Amino acid sequence: MTDAAMMLAYVGPMLTVAAAAWRMSARLAKMDARLAQLERENRDLKAELGALRTLLSVLVDSRRQAG
């Protein structure tokens, strides 16, 4: 075997593992960004839900007082 072939046989598997780790890192970064976006949306929706609950309470109380 030539020196180049021996080097390729030695380095090849490491490069494959490094490429797989690189791809996994990119996928994890994308998932992390999506999770952060979903957390922001969840916080906003909870705030809107709280506002709607408050409005509903006010409406129910005013109907009780009127009736």
Side-chain angles (χ1 to χ4, degrees):
M1 223 196 273
T2 64
D3 288 341
M6 288 176 61
M7 183 63 107
L8 183 60
Y10 178 74
V11 174
M14 288 188 277
L15 291 176
T16 301
V17 170
W22 183 270
R23 285 191 306 269
M24 183 59 68
S25 175
R27 288 175 71 190
L28 288 173
K30 187 176 178 181
M31 290 169 62
D32 191 43
R34 178 70 176 137
L35 178 61
Q37 178 188 1
L38 289 172
E39 286 173 342
R40 285 190 301 273
E41 288 176 14
N42 188 39
R43 187 175 51 248
D44 293 345
L45 289 172
K46 282 183 178 180
E48 287 181 33
L49 182 60
L52 288 172
R53 283 182 176 159
T54 301
L55 177 61
L56 183 61
S57 292
V58 169
L59 290 173
V60 168
D61 287 346
S62 68
R63 300 255 329 189
R64 284 183 186 154
Q65 290 174 359

